[in-house]
Amino acid sequence: MKQDATILVIEDEEILRDIILNVLQEKGYQAIGTGDSRRGLLLAKEFVPDLILCDIRMPKLDGYEVLKALRQDAKTRTIPLIFISAEKNQSVRNIGQQFGANGYLAKPFTTDELLTVIANQINFYQ
């Protein structure tokens, strides 16, 4: 596992974002977080993380718009992105895949589920 990997968390629910960031930092990842999707795009361009975890339902830009913007920028086009959402509808996952999402993690999720999804993506793209 690439322990020095940088992971960007774009999640507007502050408590959940803080929990994810704490888990990642405890596991040795460089973790960056924001609750603002527009700021998330700026952070993605600035840090070019190894992975992005992004909520779908957010104010300003939703997760689909974030993903679309990332895929249109040469600097961020290849960054793997995992959607995190409470949405259980299969069409939500399908839309994410159509836009180029690399995975989906349904809320609520366990720490093990989170770490497994991250490890699979980071190991796959090394």
Side-chain angles (χ1 to χ4, degrees):
M1 185 182 306
K2 189 176 173 188
Q3 286 298 305
D4 62 341
T6 300
I7 300 173
L8 171 59
V9 180
I10 306 172
E11 166 62 66
D12 61 330
E13 195 177 315
E14 186 177 358
I15 293 170
L16 178 59
R17 183 178 66 245
D18 288 347
I19 291 169
I20 294 170
L21 292 171
N22 287 335
V23 166
L24 296 178
Q25 289 165 350
E26 284 176 12
K27 294 297 180 183
Y29 293 108
Q30 302 295 318
I32 307 160
T34 183
D36 181 312
S37 49
R38 288 197 173 112
R39 176 146 169 70
L41 286 172
L42 294 174
L43 290 171
K45 289 177 188 180
E46 181 180 345
F47 291 98
V48 189
D50 297 285
L51 178 67
I52 298 172
L53 300 173
C54 184
D55 190 9
I56 293 176
R57 305 273 177 246
M58 290 185 293
K60 298 179 184 166
L61 299 176
D62 68 22
Y64 301 129
E65 293 168 305
V66 169
L67 180 57
K68 198 163 23 172
L70 290 168
R71 295 297 184 250
Q72 290 172 351
D73 186 309
K75 194 170 184 180
T76 58
R77 180 175 293 141
T78 61
I79 301 170
L81 182 139
I82 305 286
F83 277 131
I84 49 178
S85 181
E87 195 67 51
K88 303 284 191 240
N89 190 330
Q90 184 62 39
S91 68
V92 170
R93 293 178 192 217
N94 294 342
I95 294 167
Q97 287 176 330
Q98 289 170 5
F99 281 125
N102 300 84
Y104 182 89
L105 190 57
K107 297 178 192 176
F109 48 83
T110 66
T111 299
D112 286 344
E113 289 169 330
L114 173 67
L115 294 173
T116 298
V117 164
I118 290 169
N120 288 343
Q121 283 301 315
I122 289 178
N123 291 334
F124 183 76
Y125 287 96
Q126 276 186 350

